[in-house]
Amino acid sequence: NAGVTQTPKFQVLKTGQSMTLQCAQDMNHNSMYWYRQDPGMGLRLIYYSASEGTTDKGEVPNGYNVSRLNKREFSLRLESAAPSQTSVYFCASSAGLGTGKETQYFGPGTRLLVL
Amino acid sequence: KQEVTQIPAALSVPEGENLVLNCSFTDSAIYNLQWFRQDPGKGLTSLLLIQSSQREQTSGRLNASLDKSSGRSTLYIAASQPGDSATYLCAAHGSSNTGKLIFGQGTTLQVKP
């Protein structure tokens, strides 16, 4: 099992460009999450999907959109990138609440630089 | 609003020492608390998850405790090794019906040979 995979690993964008970060998990998990990690700010939740067909905002959703394409895939889109979105982005998944298996499993991250 | 704090931000110990990492949270109504490890340039690896009804969890040389009444969790590492060098993050899962985790800033541990 690959666990949680993310593409791309690195990306450089110019201000105003758009891009989509891809995430997939092969653990048959119900819940998926997108975080960003910034020095001095720690990890913050951007959006999450508690189950297939649902998405909700986290702490810092402005400037982002998400799509839960199916149970395996959860993508994060930047419509018009800004330098403030320079960060490391992590996708995570978990079996879901009430399962007794709420451990979140993280992907390797996408490093994004917006110039 | 839940806030999670980890002190100290950095810790350096000689190999073989037993050590304790601290995590405090402001809202005791948590669903669970998770400890993660992050190596430089890598993603997070889950170490231990403690449900709100539990007092501690153990995995190998690691033992995590939870005291909801005082808003504290500790991660005990026995007989530390250079391979334990990493950043350790704790995260509180709130009591709502979501999977939202609130992370601390982490403690960066260096174990010297």
Side-chain angles (χ1 to χ4, degrees):
Chain A
N1 284 353
V4 179
T5 57
Q6 293 182 237
T7 56
K9 288 187 171 62
F10 303 96
Q11 186 70 48
V12 179
L13 290 179
K14 295 181 180 178
T15 296
Q17 288 184 318
S18 62
M19 77 163 295
T20 299
L21 282 65
Q22 306 286 354
C23 173
Q25 51 90 10
D26 62 2
M27 296 175 281
N28 199 35
H29 283 170
N30 291 315
S31 303
M32 298 185 73
Y33 315 87
W34 276 106
Y35 294 90
R36 60 179 289 175
Q37 186 174 36
D38 304 288
M41 301 295 293
L43 273 136
R44 293 177 293 170
L45 183 66
I46 305 171
Y47 270 94
Y48 66 99
S49 171
S51 60
E52 185 180 356
T54 69
T55 61
D56 284 286
K57 295 178 180 179
E59 293 179 74
V60 288
N62 291 346
Y64 305 95
N65 285 300
V66 290
S67 295
R68 184 75 183 265
L69 304 170
N70 47 56
K71 191 171 186 179
R72 290 188 63 249
E73 298 171 291
F74 188 39
S75 63
L76 178 72
R77 182 160 179 84
L78 287 70
E79 291 290 353
S80 179
S84 61
Q85 294 178 304
T86 293
S87 187
V88 181
Y89 292 85
F90 289 102
C91 177
S93 70
S94 68
L97 282 179
T99 63
K101 298 178 181 178
E102 290 88 4
T103 297
Q104 291 192 15
Y105 296 86
F106 281 73
T110 293
R111 283 152 183 79
L112 176 65
L113 173 62
V114 182
L115 301 175
Chain B
K1 179 183 175 184
Q2 179 73 274
E3 293 183 2
V4 179
T5 304
Q6 293 183 250
I7 296 173
L11 183 63
S12 181
V13 301
E15 182 177 3
E17 191 162 297
N18 301 325
L19 59 103
V20 174
L21 305 180
N22 296 300
C23 172
S24 60
F25 46 93
T26 55
D27 185 353
S28 62
I30 61 172
Y31 191 81
N32 62 47
L33 188 132
Q34 300 182 38
W35 282 93
F36 295 88
R37 167 186 173 138
Q38 185 174 30
D39 293 290
K42 304 291 186 183
L44 280 68
T45 300
S46 177
L47 297 174
L48 290 163
L49 180 152
I50 311 177
Q51 299 286 0
S52 61
S53 57
Q54 297 174 319
R55 295 282 292 179
E56 65 178 55
Q57 279 285 352
T58 298
S59 176
R61 294 183 293 109
L62 305 179
N63 176 278
S65 68
L66 177 64
D67 184 343
K68 287 176 56 179
S69 62
S70 66
R72 293 181 63 187
S73 176
T74 62
L75 179 66
Y76 175 82
I77 302 177
S80 59
Q81 304 169 359
D84 294 329
S85 298
T87 296
Y88 291 81
L89 297 151
C90 69
H93 181 179
S95 59
S96 63
N97 61 347
T98 71
K100 290 193 282 190
L101 291 177
I102 304 298
F103 281 85
Q105 299 267 358
T107 295
T108 298
L109 172 67
Q110 181 184 34
V111 181
K112 297 179 179 178

